[in-house]
Amino acid sequence: MRLPDLRRSLQGTAAAVLLALSAAPALAQQAALVGVLGTKALLVVDGGAPRALGAGEALNGVRVLSVGKDSADIEANGTRLTLHLGDTPVHVGSAASTAATGRLVLRADSRGHFVNSGLINGKVMQYMIDTGATTIAISQNEAKRMGIDYERGTPIQVSTGNGIANGWRVTLRTVRVGEIEVHNVESVILPQPMPYVLLGNNFLSAFQMTRTNDEMILQRK
């Protein structure tokens, strides 16, 4: 790709990311990878202008750890994530965790929901705490993005707003929030699109939950 074409492509991608950031609820920092320029990652943080950062450089508290061909490892407030080109912006730095105590502190967004970024089988996902859900629930499209081979799972039927639909029950190798990781967790893959992975009670049962106003503390049992 010629340099002018590359610049136009990056500008178009950055504009789309900025629009997505402005439309998202204000939680904390949000970051997206909109390009890779040699050894530098072109990041958009909190809806600002794209900045090219190399390993060890930081922008608004988001530090680049390493840069790959189409990805970048970043760290913010002790949470490490991998950003990929083409992914939607992810929330970073809105949770505080202490690995030694197995304690995670989440803060509610403007709608009262506890939303943040984590990892499933090492892939970045955005989750929402759902104490009304029996199990972890993932949309079919999100499962495909994360490389979950759900069609090898157990077929089930689920009730949706449009009637009965086919779903799958699978076991996730790892689910990670902050520095806390839980292994071999059951999940249901649903056909309808969802904006978040729903972390249900089969995952939350590994924690003692305490909520005070807009703060939720998950303490590993």
Side-chain angles (χ1 to χ4, degrees), residues 180-203:
I180 305 171
E181 191 168 81
V182 179
H183 297 262
N184 300 321
V185 189
E186 185 177 278
S187 174
V188 171
I189 310 302
L190 303 177
Q192 68 267 32
M194 298 187 298
Y196 304 107
V197 171
L198 302 181
L199 294 188
N201 288 318
N202 69 322
F203 174 81

Side-chain angles (χ1 to χ4, degrees), residues 91-161:
H91 301 294
V92 293
S94 56
S97 63
T98 305
T101 61
R103 184 173 180 265
L104 180 71
V105 180
L106 298 169
R107 292 180 175 83
D109 64 14
S110 59
R111 299 168 300 172
H113 298 153
F114 292 93
V115 177
N116 210 300
S117 297
L119 300 173
I120 287 180
N121 295 348
K123 301 291 186 179
V124 174
M125 57 85 178
Q126 291 195 69
Y127 66 82
M128 183 172 73
I129 301 294
D130 187 356
T131 57
T134 303
T135 186
I136 294 176
I138 306 173
S139 72
Q140 187 174 341
N141 288 340
E142 185 70 355
K144 286 181 181 178
R145 184 190 67 79
M146 291 189 288
I148 299 172
D149 191 5
Y150 57 88
E151 291 183 332
R152 297 186 64 180
T154 303
I156 60 173
Q157 289 191 320
V158 294
S159 178
T160 71

Side-chain angles (χ1 to χ4, degrees), residues 28 34 42 51 107 149 177:
V34 300
L42 192 62
R51 284 276 302 276
R107 292 180 175 83
D149 191 5
V177 292

